[in-house]
Amino acid sequence: MTTTTLRPDGTIANGGSSVTGAATRHLALSDNSDASYLTWFAPYFAEFNLGTFTLPAGAIIASVRWRARAQRNSGSPGFMSLELRKSPFTNTLAFSHDYVFDVAFTEFLSPQVATSLTQAEINGLQLWVNASEDDIRVAETYVDVVSVTQPVAVVTAVTPDPLTTTNIAPIAWTNTLDADGGVQTRYQIRVFTAAQYGIGGFNPATSPATQDTGEVVSGALTRDTLALDTSTTYRAYVRVAQTVNGVSHWSSYAFDQFSIDYAPVGGQPVPQPRLGCAEEYTVIITARDLKTYAAQVNFSQLSWSRVLDEVSEASVTVPDIFGGLRCNIELGTAIVPWKFGLRIERNGELVWAGPIVSIERPV
């Protein structure tokens, strides 16, 4: 977490205050001195521009709040109110008002307000200050802007390299997360062959991949690939995300390069799943080939069967509150039978896959 404090650096307008001890109103509110202050004689806002800062690459804004030092100079207690705005008369980010009782200067602060801001919006922040005409003095104002740095993923080297006892690669990673952004909430792994990542214009986020988990809602730090072709070099690209103000805050992709040189008895690679006890189930909508990722969905109920050499069935319930409607929107069309497939994975390993043959929507 990084907190940057902004101070008034320009007076836009004044509706009801006089200045003491400083050449301008904005200097009185930003000189760290109680000897300079504004005194309100009418209940109108004074408006100020704020200094700015450059948001570090990849960082995002998490929250804002204002602080002020004020006193009651004489008469009965009065009130003071401040608003932090993106632009004049619109987009109030933080608003609070306080009754000022003390005759000594006292600090007041607003609640921390969750928000997101672009660099242009940071540059355009304005602070509006108002007080009743009961001889309220305001000496200092501050705006604290909390930013969250971009997460960092580091992929652990696959060992041994090359893999000679399996054609399923164990992918593991570590993350470095800004404490104010919380824990890892998502990850994504994309696996590419040397031919894929060596092509001109390669981009790990958009180039065609051999395998793609899609965005997985999980704090896990390991996942096995599906079975890979032998005598091939691969790169596994991993990114992780925190959830900040309801939005995924992603790291850049990091990768590890490894080779598969697996020659089992009989000459055919044999998948070696590592299912173990069920810790995590994942439901993925795919293209008809049952491999190409289309979307991941959160489910409320899940069941499937497996029958040797016979057709088996699976059922997934995806309420709208878990993303059912959003999933349709993301795919650009309704999920119609036989157009999409369904994959069910346990601990990252496939346990059932088949075409979507029917959909029931409650009335």
Side-chain angles (χ1 to χ4, degrees):
M1 174 181 71
T2 300
T3 300
T4 303
T5 300
L6 308 181
R7 308 298 300 276
D9 70 350
T11 302
I12 301 171
N14 174 61
S17 70
S18 61
V19 60
T20 300
T24 64
R25 288 171 174 79
H26 61 271
L27 288 176
L29 297 182
S30 60
D31 61 2
N32 298 317
S33 171
D34 290 344
S36 58
Y37 49 82
L38 303 187
T39 303
W40 260 260
F41 56 83
Y44 297 106
F45 276 102
E47 308 166 32
F48 302 96
N49 285 322
L50 294 170
T52 189
F53 70 101
T54 300
L55 192 64
I60 62 173
I61 300 301
S63 63
V64 296
R65 74 174 182 185
W66 61 258
R67 294 179 286 129
R69 288 180 57 79
Q71 71 170 177
R72 174 174 63 87
N73 185 45
S74 63
S76 60
F79 74 87
M80 172 188 63
S81 62
L82 280 82
E83 288 189 44
L84 180 63
R85 299 186 175 190
K86 291 184 183 179
S87 60
F89 302 107
T90 61
N91 296 321
T92 297
L93 297 176
F95 172 82
S96 182
H97 72 272
D98 295 276
Y99 282 96
V100 182
F101 294 95
D102 295 335
V103 294
F105 278 107
T106 304
E107 183 169 278
F108 299 84
L109 58 112
S110 72
Q112 205 82 27
V113 178
T115 189
S116 59
L117 296 171
T118 65
Q119 184 65 59
E121 289 170 336
I122 294 170
N123 297 342
L125 287 176
Q126 296 178 350
L127 186 66
W128 292 39
V129 186
N130 188 20
S132 63
E133 64 265 40
D134 295 293
D135 204 13
I136 300 299
R137 293 176 177 178
V138 181
E140 300 299 318
T141 56
Y142 317 79
V143 173
D144 298 326
V145 182
V146 176
S147 59
V148 176
T149 58
Q150 185 177 24
V152 176
V154 177
V155 185
T156 306
V158 172
T159 55
D161 184 14
L163 287 173
T164 57
T165 60
T166 179
N167 62 337
I168 296 174
I171 307 302
W173 61 92
T174 59
N175 57 42
T176 301
L177 308 174
D178 191 315
D180 206 54
V183 299
Q184 175 189 306
T185 54
R186 294 174 185 265
Y187 70 82
Q188 183 171 8
I189 305 173
R190 307 193 81 218
V191 181
F192 302 86
T193 64
Q196 291 173 319
Y197 65 71
I199 197 170
F202 169 75
N203 185 326
T206 58
S207 295
T210 296
Q211 293 180 18
D212 186 350
T213 63
E215 297 181 10
V216 180
V217 181
S218 173
L221 298 175
T222 61
R223 177 160 175 164
D224 290 352
T225 67
L226 302 178
L228 296 166
D229 291 338
T230 191
S231 301
T232 305
T233 299
Y234 295 91
R235 283 183 181 177
Y237 283 81
V238 179
R239 64 172 183 161
V240 299
Q242 299 169 280
T243 300
V244 180
N245 296 335
V247 177
S248 294
H249 182 34
W250 286 98
S251 70
S252 299
Y253 275 100
F255 74 88
D256 175 55
Q257 182 172 310
F258 60 93
S259 298
I260 302 290
D261 190 13
Y262 177 47
V265 176
Q268 295 298 321
V270 178
Q272 299 178 14
R274 305 179 183 186
L275 296 178
C277 297
E279 297 178 356
E280 177 183 71
Y281 286 97
T282 305
V283 175
I284 300 170
I285 306 284
T286 71
R288 284 186 235 183
D289 61 6
L290 305 180
K291 296 180 180 180
T292 304
Y293 174 90
Q296 181 181 332
V297 294
N298 295 326
F299 56 88
S300 62
Q301 295 183 17
L302 171 65
S303 64
W304 76 92
S305 62
R306 287 181 285 186
V307 182
L308 182 63
D309 297 328
E310 296 289 342
V311 175
S312 61
E313 295 183 349
S315 175
V316 179
T317 301
V318 186
D320 284 345
I321 61 171
F322 281 6
L325 182 60
R326 175 185 57 78
C327 185
N328 274 349
I329 294 172
E330 287 181 354
L331 294 175
T333 181
I335 302 176
V336 297
W338 301 105
K339 185 173 182 179
F340 293 95
L342 183 74
R343 288 178 62 93
I344 300 174
E345 298 180 359
R346 185 177 73 189
N347 297 349
E349 297 289 348
L350 178 67
V351 294
W352 192 93
I356 297 175
V357 297
S358 66
I359 298 173
E360 296 180 3
R361 296 183 177 90
V363 177

